[in-house]
Amino acid sequence: MPIRGAFAMRSTLIVILLAWLALAKGIGVVIYEVEISGELAEDIYGRGVEVVGVGPLPLFVAPAGEDYAVFAFTGNVTRVKFFNMSRAYVVVPRGPPPETPGDFYLETPQGRYPLRFRSGGPVLAIVDSLESLEKVLAEMGYVPQRGGRARLVGGSQQGRQPEPLPEPLAASVGSTVYPLGGVYFRNVNAKVGVVEVQPHGDIQVCSNVRNVAYVGLDVNQLLLGYVAVNGTVQGNIVVQIYKVNSDGTCSKIGEEKYPLYAVRSMYYTVAGVNPTSSQNTQIGVKVILNITSVSGSPVVKVQGMAEYIRTVHHGFEVSDYSVEVAWGDFAGSRSPIYVGARVSSILLGPYMMPDGVLQDGTRSLSVVIEADPVNGACQTLYWRLYINGYSYEYGSSTGVQLSGTCRYSVQISGGFPLLAVRHAKTLTEDLMYQLRISYNDGSAPFVRYYWLNPHTPLRGSRWAEVWKSTPNSQGKIPEIWQEPHLLTQLQLLGMYGGWGGSDATSKLRVHGLVSIFADSLSRGPAIVMYVTGRVLQPSGATSPVGYWEVRLRFPIPVSTGAPIYAAYVGDSRFEELSPPQWVWIAKMLKKAVDFLVGALQLDRFKTLIHSVFSYAVGQLLESAGPRADAANVDPYTLKLYYNAGWANDKPWDTVLYWALFNSDKFTTFTVTYVKVYPIEATPNINLNLRPSNAERYYPEVDHSFVKLWAFKRLTGAEAIYIWLS
């Protein structure tokens, strides 16, 4: 017995000694789960938070759960993790909280821990689970323990800088706006060592420094995010900040180094890019990964979100964008998509998040769900909409009893959350909508069918460029505007039941992207339009859209002839619209036969029969190849369209269309109708006509000729627009 007691005492001493050694080696910390909502979320995820006594740790977000979801545009049911960005984990030092004032506080059973807003450093980290968060903290030298739930409470708000207020939707001349743009880099196959991350684009920003990404001037804030796919990395991320000089060289004005944690994704605020450092000064950043360890085979994606300060000087700098969901079947009916499974979420998207977005977006959603009754009755269905993990809308729907099912209608509309824009620009590139559904007890419904009614998940206004449009001393616009961004963008997604069945596997999926720019040339107003359309067949194969149509409504009567230029857009090249070679040979043979019939002087009846036959063959051959053209629907409405032709064998899915109008007596017109066969929408979004050449050209170039915003990627300015005047 004494021996056993001595052994027990020795074991206890060993445990205490090991615990003491652990605390001596690392810092004891406690993990608390908190709710973040409202303006506080904008502050935290926009600037970052420092916990007094711990250091520059980010807030951590782990999956809120895992359940079965159906992908709206495919009908596939799969198990997915879902995130609730309003639930985060805050790490505080173990022991009594320091008696230091904070901007706000974490209220725990041990006391109120002060938290401060900070400029620069880690803001948010997304982990796979709470267990993986504990592992990450241990690898960083901390000794974590779980503390349960805690509460964020307001404080003195000391040191808080005033935030600029967003302008309303219609940005008037003279108003200040804060557009959100993207800074994009190429993916990196991560390995141990030092890697310079290459920016997207084909123009070198600095003649003396490689791999500098152009950010611009008058930048209010820069957030930089990274995502690790198929593994994790550890080390640090170095951000070098450069001033772009007038001679094309760059001068280094700052450098910041932040840790890379073994997490799914993360983003940081770059303190050195701010209104002071970038005022009337062009800024570029270079990103270097110093990787010390790798787990798995990770591919690292780096991108950024820049918030700019701009003044509307002319009006053409601002235009509209829209994402439209279309849904159709033969004769305009909309047959449902069969699910036949118990699901807790409907996933919609991805939707594009264009660059230059102003803080004025709107959203809507229209879904009809049919589910099995519960104990023979229609229970109330509760729903909540998440956009990239941020929840801004919730409600319920009362079921309508049908023959064997309950039908629920979910109609949602409202403003667009800036947090979702920030998340998309720094971490995901696109937007994903998640409609979570459940009954009052939390159980998931057994969904039989669903419909997506036509709706607009995202629309708003956007700024045209990263550059300012401040006139020079002669009142003219900087020459850089001669190479414009494609101002108005429209994304169109939809499903079409071409085979009449209700199963999602029998339907076409269609994706179209329309980019339109309007300019005033010496010969009159011109329109440049890129249209991309792709169809996913039920077999799984994809093919280019064979027909598209865009209708424009003008304030005055207007017309145009055939396009001046139309071409397929391939891999950094253009290919003229032309039919297959055999169609050309067939036309030559037809001409030869027609000539021989006339030369042989056959009798009148045979000649008449041949003429009819020849006309039919000629029409058939004319419709064999691709054609882009324009026609008036009425004096105020112009239809621009493309038809691939029944014999077209071109693989390209993007068409460039360029044409002139016959009048310059208007400054704004509207896109009223878009069809990317077989789906269609009526977006009613506006385009603004840019001033003419005479008002634009002058010898100075105010801004470095390096970047244009494009759909998800960057390109050299001269590569995106063909100047044909």
Side-chain angles (χ1 to χ4, degrees):
M1 189 71 177
I3 295 176
R4 182 178 300 174
F7 179 77
M9 182 177 294
R10 187 188 309 167
S11 300
T12 302
L13 289 173
I14 291 174
V15 170
I16 294 174
L17 178 62
L18 289 174
W20 182 84
L21 288 173
L23 286 173
K25 182 181 179 182
I27 301 173
V29 293
V30 184
I31 304 170
Y32 287 103
E33 182 183 346
V34 298
E35 293 283 337
I36 306 174
S37 59
E39 294 181 1
L40 188 57
E42 293 282 356
D43 285 336
I44 290 174
Y45 292 130
R47 289 184 284 178
V49 172
E50 180 177 350
V51 179
V52 178
V54 174
L57 282 180
L59 271 72
F60 293 89
V61 174
E66 188 173 353
D67 58 17
Y68 284 96
V70 57
F71 286 89
F73 294 111
T74 65
N76 295 335
V77 176
T78 185
R79 192 164 181 83
V80 297
K81 292 181 179 179
F82 65 91
F83 291 85
N84 182 353
M85 303 298 288
S86 63
R87 282 176 48 187
Y89 294 97
V90 181
V91 178
V92 300
R94 191 178 302 172
E99 295 184 3
T100 306
D103 296 328
F104 61 109
Y105 297 87
L106 179 70
E107 195 171 69
T108 74
Q110 287 72 40
R112 304 176 77 194
Y113 288 84
L115 290 83
R116 295 173 179 168
F117 295 114
R118 68 165 180 264
S119 177
V123 176
L124 171 72
I126 297 179
V127 294
D128 288 321
S129 63
L130 180 56
E131 290 75 18
S132 64
L133 166 57
E134 293 173 323
K135 181 181 177 182
V136 167
L137 290 172
E139 290 172 347
M140 294 167 59
Y142 295 102
V143 182
Q145 74 177 50
R146 301 184 187 185
R149 290 181 177 270
R151 192 166 67 97
L152 293 175
V153 296
S156 64
Q157 304 291 304
Q158 293 179 11
R160 183 176 181 182
Q161 298 297 317
E163 293 292 317
L165 294 175
E167 291 294 318
L169 179 63
S172 58
V173 172
S175 63
T176 300
V177 295
Y178 300 89
L180 306 178
V183 182
Y184 303 102
F185 297 83
R186 301 182 190 276
N187 293 350
V188 174
N189 293 317
K191 58 183 179 180
V192 174
V194 179
V195 181
E196 291 187 3
V197 185
Q198 296 181 355
H200 271 281
D202 53 8
I203 293 182
Q204 191 77 8
V205 176
C206 310
S207 60
N208 60 328
V209 185
R210 296 181 56 196
N211 297 326
V212 174
Y214 185 73
V215 179
L217 72 172
D218 292 342
V219 187
N220 197 48
Q221 182 185 42
L222 177 64
L223 300 179
L224 195 66
Y226 91 94
V227 179
V229 181
N230 299 326
T232 59
V233 300
Q234 286 183 275
N236 56 64
I237 182 169
V238 179
V239 184
Q240 297 177 347
I241 306 163
Y242 290 88
K243 172 188 175 183
V244 183
N245 303 316
S246 58
D247 62 356
T249 63
C250 288
S251 304
K252 186 177 176 182
I253 59 175
E255 180 173 302
E256 301 172 21
K257 181 184 293 185
Y258 304 121
L260 283 174
Y261 304 140
V263 297
R264 175 193 293 254
S265 57
M266 190 168 178
Y267 70 77
Y268 315 82
T269 60
V270 181
V273 179
N274 54 61
T276 301
S277 66
S278 65
Q279 184 176 12
N280 293 318
T281 301
Q282 297 178 82
I283 296 294
V285 295
K286 181 175 183 175
V287 176
I288 302 170
L289 301 179
N290 183 12
I291 301 174
T292 57
S293 65
V294 171
S295 175
S297 302
V299 175
V300 173
K301 303 166 65 176
V302 177
Q303 60 190 59
M305 186 221 74
E307 181 183 69
Y308 298 90
I309 307 170
R310 293 291 180 264
T311 300
V312 181
H313 286 286
H314 307 283
F316 67 84
E317 305 99 326
V318 178
S319 65
D320 295 345
Y321 68 90
S322 183
V323 175
E324 303 286 336
V325 171
W327 202 263
D329 281 319
F330 289 125
S333 64
R334 297 186 182 92
S335 64
I337 300 300
Y338 178 74
V339 180
R342 196 172 297 280
V343 296
S344 297
S345 296
I346 299 176
L347 302 178
L348 302 98
Y351 302 126
M352 74 169 183
M353 171 47 67
D355 282 317
V357 170
L358 301 183
Q359 303 175 2
D360 60 8
T362 61
R363 57 187 162 84
S364 65
L365 180 65
S366 180
V367 181
V368 176
I369 302 168
E370 280 193 16
D372 284 0
V374 178
N375 299 323
C378 292
Q379 303 291 322
T380 299
L381 187 70
Y382 293 88
W383 53 264
R384 182 180 288 269
L385 177 65
Y386 291 85
I387 305 177
N388 282 11
Y390 295 98
S391 173
Y392 279 84
E393 195 87 15
Y394 60 90
S396 62
S397 176
T398 303
V400 177
Q401 185 86 45
L402 302 175
S403 56
T405 62
C406 300
R407 178 173 292 183
Y408 302 92
S409 178
V410 178
Q411 307 289 330
I412 305 173
S413 63
F416 198 83
L418 282 181
L419 284 176
V421 179
R422 182 177 290 124
H423 188 105
K425 285 296 174 195
T426 51
L427 297 177
T428 63
E429 297 185 4
D430 299 311
L431 295 166
M432 181 63 74
Y433 279 35
Q434 180 185 20
L435 184 67
R436 290 188 53 79
I437 51 177
S438 67
Y439 296 123
N440 190 43
D441 61 359
S443 62
F446 190 92
V447 176
R448 289 289 175 182
Y449 304 97
Y450 66 87
W451 291 259
L452 288 183
N453 293 323
H455 59 271
T456 304
L458 173 63
R459 75 175 298 160
S461 300
R462 62 183 305 192
W463 182 263
E465 305 278 359
V466 295
W467 304 300
K468 296 195 298 185
S469 60
T470 308
N472 69 346
S473 57
Q474 291 80 38
K476 295 180 180 178
I477 305 167
E479 187 180 4
I480 194 65
W481 284 83
Q482 85 175 51
E483 303 289 349
H485 180 37
L486 302 176
L487 293 180
T488 294
Q489 284 183 315
L490 173 77
Q491 185 186 25
L492 192 66
L493 299 98
M495 194 176 291
Y496 189 89
W499 288 269
S502 61
D503 193 332
T505 59
S506 70
K507 295 182 180 294
L508 294 168
R509 286 89 174 179
V510 185
H511 179 211
L513 179 66
V514 182
S515 299
I516 306 174
F517 164 72
D519 193 19
S520 181
L521 306 179
S522 58
R523 289 179 285 166
I527 184 170
V528 179
M529 184 165 64
Y530 286 83
V531 182
T532 299
R534 200 81 187 167
V535 178
L536 174 63
Q537 307 286 347
S539 64
T542 64
S543 60
V545 165
Y547 179 85
W548 54 253
E549 178 183 328
V550 177
R551 295 188 184 185
L552 309 175
R553 179 76 177 178
F554 297 87
I556 62 172
V558 68
S559 63
T560 184
I564 293 176
Y565 187 79
Y568 292 113
V569 182
D571 299 328
S572 302
R573 64 189 179 94
F574 299 95
E575 181 176 313
E576 291 188 14
L577 305 186
S578 59
Q581 187 176 14
W582 70 264
V583 174
W584 179 82
I585 296 172
K587 286 183 177 181
M588 293 301 101
L589 290 174
K590 175 185 173 296
K591 288 183 178 180
V593 171
D594 291 346
F595 173 78
L596 289 173
V597 168
L600 293 174
Q601 296 182 350
L602 299 178
D603 63 75
R604 189 165 179 267
F605 178 74
K606 290 182 178 178
T607 302
L608 180 61
I609 295 297
H610 169 78
S611 297
V612 173
F613 178 76
S614 177
Y615 175 78
V617 172
Q619 291 295 104
L620 188 64
L621 291 176
E622 285 298 324
S623 63
R627 181 184 180 188
D629 213 337
N632 275 94
V633 177
D634 59 53
Y636 297 89
T637 305
L638 194 66
K639 177 177 75 172
L640 312 178
Y641 65 93
Y642 158 80
N643 195 330
W646 59 268
N648 189 34
D649 59 354
K650 304 297 183 183
W652 311 129
D653 57 12
T654 302
V655 175
L656 165 67
Y657 185 106
W658 195 93
L660 281 170
F661 300 113
N662 68 348
S663 175
D664 59 357
K665 298 296 191 294
F666 56 86
T667 58
T668 301
F669 54 99
T670 305
V671 182
T672 59
Y673 173 84
V674 173
K675 183 170 188 175
V676 180
Y677 184 81
I679 61 174
E680 57 190 2
T682 54
N684 292 317
I685 57 177
N686 296 321
L687 287 88
N688 293 314
L689 189 66
R690 200 181 53 153
S692 67
N693 296 357
E695 298 173 357
R696 187 170 64 246
Y697 288 163
Y698 70 98
E700 299 177 38
V701 176
D702 282 357
H703 313 297
S704 184
F705 201 71
V706 291
K707 190 187 91 167
L708 287 178
W709 284 330
F711 177 56
K712 291 173 57 176
R713 287 290 179 260
L714 304 185
T715 180
E718 76 277 13
I720 202 168
Y721 181 68
I722 297 179
W723 198 255
L724 298 173
S725 61

